[in-house]
């Protein structure tokens, strides 16, 4: 598992399929949840800081090269005035999956609104604020790679198995419920 967003996390010589990019290394604690899922499913990916505001030229270069490099999806996380996903999407038709990172003052509601309110014609698929969104964006990328006529049946089977395990964990949760007597009342 990678430990920093600078890590090029494609494990093998396989061409990188998914880019995980973020506005700052401070986003990594959230975005690593996307990286962990991609690692679990054996997807070749890279993780990079590509700040929309602090390195706009690099951001445009990244977007412009994405299709030619064979990227199937770009998972882009940013917080606050979160322009990274939308501006990447403006410069490439590679699907951009946006992850609103919780921000210091507005807890990521600002990030969510910045990412989700795209004008018609330039779509960004927007996920939940924080770690759930990062993980789900990666699961969505896995589903993109698994599905369709040119999909990967082995990957689809892995995704089905992941869901089945999750279902079993959820079913077992009932066993965790205990009835505590409520003070002054009936349990
Ligand atoms: C955004 O500004 C980044 O995505 C990050 O969420 C936020 C704060 O960045 P730092 O000041 O922590 O580098 O561009």
């Amino acid at each position: 598992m990678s430990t920093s967003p600078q890590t090029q996390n494609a494990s093998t010589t396989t061409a990188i399929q998914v880019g995980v990019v973020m506005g700052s290394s401070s986003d990594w604690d959230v975005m690593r949840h996307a990286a962990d899922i991609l690692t679990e499913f054996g997807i070749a990916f890279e993780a990079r800081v590509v700040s929309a505001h602090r390195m706009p030229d690099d951001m445009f270069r990244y977007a412009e090269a994405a299709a030619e490099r064979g990227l199937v999806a770009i998972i882009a996380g940013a917080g606050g005035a979160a322009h990274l996903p939308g501006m990447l999407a403006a410069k490439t038709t590679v699907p951009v999956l946006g992850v609103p990172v919780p921000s210091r003052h507005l807890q990521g509601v600002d990030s969510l609104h910045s990412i989700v309110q795209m004008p018609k014609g330039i779509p960004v698929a927007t996920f939940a604020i924080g770690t759930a969104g990062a993980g789900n964006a990666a699961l969505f990328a896995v589903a993109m790679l698994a599905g369709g006529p040119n999909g990967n049946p082995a990957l689809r089977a892995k995704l089905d198995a992941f869901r089945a395990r999750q279902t079993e964990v959820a079913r077992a949760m009932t066993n965790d419920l205990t009835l505590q007597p409520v003070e002054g009342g009936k349990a």
Side-chain angles (χ1 to χ4, degrees):
M1 187 194 308
S2 59
T3 54
S4 83
Q6 286 76 33
T7 307
Q8 301 299 301
N9 206 329
S11 47
T12 62
T13 51
T14 319
I16 290 166
Q17 293 178 297
V18 176
V20 178
V21 298
M22 62 214 82
S24 169
S25 59
S26 67
D27 298 329
W28 182 233
D29 277 350
V30 169
M31 297 307 292
R32 68 185 310 144
H33 290 259
D36 287 349
I37 292 283
L38 295 172
T39 301
E40 182 178 341
F41 280 88
I43 306 296
F45 71 96
E46 63 190 1
R48 293 193 192 177
V49 171
V50 186
S51 169
H53 301 120
R54 294 166 177 154
M55 33 197 296
D57 296 336
D58 302 45
M59 175 194 62
F60 282 137
R61 270 197 295 273
Y62 187 86
E64 280 164 359
E68 202 175 311
R69 293 179 61 219
L71 296 187
V72 174
I74 300 170
I75 299 173
H83 292 121
L84 177 62
M87 291 311 293
L88 288 169
K91 292 289 276 185
T92 182
T93 52
V94 172
V96 175
L97 317 183
V99 179
V101 172
S103 51
R104 216 162 294 135
H105 300 293
L106 298 175
Q107 290 73 51
V109 173
D110 45 351
S111 326
L112 172 66
H113 289 173
S114 298
I115 294 172
V116 78
Q117 287 294 79
M118 289 296 291
K120 187 177 181 184
I122 306 293
V124 169
T126 307
F127 290 82
I129 297 170
T131 56
N136 278 346
L139 286 169
F140 198 89
V142 170
M144 287 169 66
L145 288 161
N150 300 319
N152 178 338
L155 196 55
R156 172 156 290 206
K158 261 180 136 171
L159 195 52
D160 288 340
F162 176 92
R163 288 285 186 96
R165 280 197 304 278
Q166 192 167 245
T167 298
E168 286 314 308
V169 169
R171 285 192 179 129
M173 285 177 183
T174 299
N175 300 328
D176 299 336
L177 307 181
T178 54
L179 285 178
Q180 301 288 352
V182 178
E183 202 177 320
K186 291 178 184 164

